[in-house]
Amino acid sequence: ALAMLRALDTLNAELAEDGQAPLRIGIGINSGSLMLGTIGGRERLSCTVIGDPANTVSRTEGMTKLYGAGLLIIEATHARLADPDQYWLRDVDCVQAKGKQQPMIVYEVLDGEPPSRRKARTAAAPRFAEGVTQYREGRFEAARATFAELAAELPDAGAVALYLRRLAPLDGRPPGDGEGGTRLDQK
């Protein structure tokens, strides 16, 4: 995934030289047991994987748009990393994806971001983590202030903007979260 994002940076530099708009991709990674199978008949065969991890990773890939992230992993993958400290990871949210019963922690992998964005987001990571903690603990005014400061500093940070949208209508009330995580209604 990181190699794909780096290759995209190279391609976007070439596109910029030709005056073309950059391309963006979003990658989601999940881990777990799957069933591999061939579906179809003689005229048309298709190979696919089936299982909850495949469904969940599809939701995770879709979340990249929501958080403005190039690469997201969820806690099942994070738990399998031999050395998580070798990556720039940040816990961006705890969500209950559409069709899922259990909430899951979503991590953004900053290593694949373009250098300027990665530098800005890693520098702001401790304050972002503070805002997430404030949000999860129900200290909504403090979270709103933290994310507002970050929004001025990181205007392209989708996760910051998302938290500000969630916090805007609260007026001291808790957000409409699922049990243990924000309930997402889109795939």
Side-chain angles (χ1 to χ4, degrees), residues 4-23:
M4 290 169 61
L5 291 169
R6 289 183 187 115
L8 182 64
D9 285 343
T10 302
L11 175 62
N12 280 335
E14 293 170 8
L15 290 172
E17 287 176 8
D18 293 339
Q20 297 181 44
L23 300 174

Side-chain angles (χ1 to χ4, degrees), residues 112-113 124 148:
E113 293 294 325

Side-chain angles (χ1 to χ4, degrees), residues 14-169:
E14 293 170 8
L15 290 172
E17 287 176 8
D18 293 339
Q20 297 181 44
L23 300 174
R24 298 249 350 203
I25 62 172
I27 302 169
I29 299 179
N30 187 18
S31 301
S33 297
L34 298 167
M35 181 173 279
L36 174 67
T38 304
I39 299 172
R42 280 191 177 154
E43 300 299 316
R44 183 173 177 190
L45 286 175
S46 178
C47 185
T48 190
V49 291
I50 306 167
D52 189 59
N55 295 333
T56 302
V57 78
S58 174
R59 308 284 194 282
T60 306
E61 181 274 329
M63 289 179 215
T64 61
K65 296 174 190 80
L66 187 64
Y67 298 106
L71 174 57
L72 294 175
I73 65 173
I74 62 169
E75 60 188 306
T77 300
H78 183 271
R80 290 182 173 204
L81 293 174
D83 182 13
D85 292 335
Q86 81 180 52
Y87 303 100
W88 279 101
L89 303 172
R90 69 176 184 172
D91 170 350
V92 291
D93 212 348
C94 181
V95 299
Q96 185 178 348
K98 183 172 182 164
K100 302 297 173 189
Q101 297 300 315
Q102 296 297 318
M104 60 187 178
I105 296 175
V106 179
Y107 297 88
E108 182 178 13
V109 182
L110 298 173
D111 301 72
E113 293 294 325
S116 62
R117 187 182 331 190
R118 180 178 58 241
K119 183 178 178 183
R121 288 187 182 182
T122 55
R127 285 183 302 141
F128 182 86
E130 179 183 355
V132 170
T133 298
Q134 292 165 338
Y135 180 83
R136 288 181 183 161
E137 291 176 351
R139 296 183 288 135
F140 302 125
E141 287 304 320
R144 187 179 296 135
T146 299
F147 287 121
E149 288 173 14
L150 287 169
E153 215 174 292
L154 306 169
D156 70 335
V160 171
L162 175 68
Y163 276 104
L164 286 172
R165 283 192 303 275
R166 284 183 191 163
L167 289 162

